[in-house]
């Protein structure tokens, strides 16, 4: 019994526009999401999707997670940057040094991402989205390795990284210092439990590994977890606010899943099987 990574979700002020941007940058196909939202699908159906969920919460500070996009050559890096700028992205300064080879950009909603230079050995063979690079502790890297049963592929100087046994995108955590959490995360993970598994037992397993259940369903505007990890909701609840709260208070989650916090206080959602 193991949760699978179903989606990486963006809380977005303009979901359709942001989906068009990332579809254009990545070359992924747009599709209707499972809850009437907007999604883009990878070329390989075995990979995660990216969902774009409505939220009017303003961006406060730098995101705790961002994409690192890979490049096979200097020309491909330049093409990726040019395509992103043409689609509405922009250059930003997050303190990178002039001699560093990667290019730091922001999408039209202000979410940071990097276009990595060719020849990066750590991201070799991962695909176009080389990594979801996160601000986080060693403890949270260990948690997600156990939660997804993805092996650690890096564990040094309190920096960690995991990758599916099937390969593909890595998820990395940079170790201390970790900036305080100032509101709900713009990007979060959504897990899915296989249809023939016990959903409640899997939620219990995640709690035993160090996750915390919140008091709310998975609402995009339901009041995010705070910096101390005492969250009251986030993510992608599309309907039924009071109903979701009552269900979670009774320990059942909402009709579609439950919102949880990892050991660093980051929101993630566990979908019910469909």
């Amino acid at each position: 019994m193991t949760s699978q990574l179903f989606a990486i979700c963006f809380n977005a002020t303009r979901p359709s526009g942001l989906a068009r941007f990332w579809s254009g940058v990545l070359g992924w196909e747009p599709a209707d999401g499972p809850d009437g939202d907007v999604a883009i699908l990878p070329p390989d159906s075995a990979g995660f999707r990216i969902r774009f969920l409505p939220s009017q919460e303003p961006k406060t500070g730098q995101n705790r997670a961002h994409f690192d996009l890979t490049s096979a050559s200097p020309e491909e890096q330049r093409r990726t940057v040019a395509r992103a700028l043409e689609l509405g992205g922009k250059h930003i300064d997050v303190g990178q040094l002039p001699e560093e080879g990667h290019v730091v950009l922001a999408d039209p909603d202000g979410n940071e991402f990097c276009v990595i230079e060719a020849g990066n050995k750590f991201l070799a063979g991962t695909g176009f989205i080389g990594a979801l690079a996160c601000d986080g502790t060693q403890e949270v890297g260990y948690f997600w390795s156990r939660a997804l049963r993805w092996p650690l592929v890096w564990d040094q100087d309190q920096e960690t990284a995991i990758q599916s046994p099937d390969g593909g995108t890595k998820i990395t955590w940079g170790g201390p210092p970790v900036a305080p959490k100032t509101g709900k995360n713009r990007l979060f993970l959504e897990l899915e439990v296989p249809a023939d598994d016990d959903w409640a037992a899997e939620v219990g397993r995640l709690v035993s590994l160090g996750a915390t259940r919140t008091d709310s369903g998975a609402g995009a505007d339901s009041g995010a977890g705070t910096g101390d990890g005492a969250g009251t909701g986030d993510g992608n609840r599309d309907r039924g606010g009071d109903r979701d709260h009552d269900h979670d208070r009774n320990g059942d989650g909402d009709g579609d899943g439950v919102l949880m916090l990892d050991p660093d206080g980051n929101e993630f959602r566990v979908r019910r099987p469909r």
Side-chain angles (χ1 to χ4, degrees), residues 133-138 156-160 172-178:
C134 307
D135 194 18
T137 62
Q138 184 180 53
Q156 186 172 313
D157 300 326
Q158 300 190 61
E159 299 176 354
T160 51
T172 70
W173 293 271
V178 178

Side-chain angles (χ1 to χ4, degrees), residues 205-225:
R205 184 184 75 91
L206 294 170
V207 170
S208 74
L209 293 176
T212 305
R213 293 187 63 148
T214 70
D215 293 329
S216 175
D221 293 308
S222 59

Side-chain angles (χ1 to χ4, degrees), residues 30-123:
D32 292 332
D35 299 312
D37 56 281
V38 184
I40 58 175
L41 305 181
D44 179 358
S45 60
F48 59 85
R49 66 183 63 200
I50 302 176
R51 298 180 65 198
F52 302 88
L53 309 168
S55 173
Q56 297 307 313
E57 183 115 355
K59 189 175 188 294
T60 57
Q62 191 170 321
N63 288 345
R64 272 193 166 189
H66 68 269
F67 286 143
D68 282 343
L69 306 183
T70 62
S71 308
S73 66
E75 292 77 16
E76 185 175 84
Q77 184 186 29
R78 287 193 290 269
R79 286 195 299 269
T80 299
V81 171
R83 188 165 65 250
L85 295 175
E86 183 180 350
L87 290 166
K90 63 181 180 180
H91 288 279
I92 58 171
D93 183 357
V94 295
Q96 68 270 29
L97 299 176
E99 61 268 24
E100 293 178 322
H102 63 276
V103 179
V104 184
L105 303 172
D107 68 21
D109 225 15
N111 302 300
E112 305 87 2
F113 66 100
C114 294
V115 184
I116 305 299
E117 67 277 15
N120 184 291
K121 294 181 179 179
F122 179 70
L123 299 180

Side-chain angles (χ1 to χ4, degrees), residues 8 20 41 81 99 125 139 248:
I8 295 175
R20 283 193 296 272
L41 305 181
V81 171
E99 61 268 24
E139 178 190 8
D248 243 18

Side-chain angles (χ1 to χ4, degrees), residues 7 32 47 55 80 89 144 148-149 157 175 214 249-250 260 271:
D32 292 332
S55 173
T80 299
W144 280 108
L148 293 172
R149 291 196 170 98
D157 300 326
T214 70
R249 189 166 50 203
N250 294 331
M260 307 186 77
R271 293 167 52 84

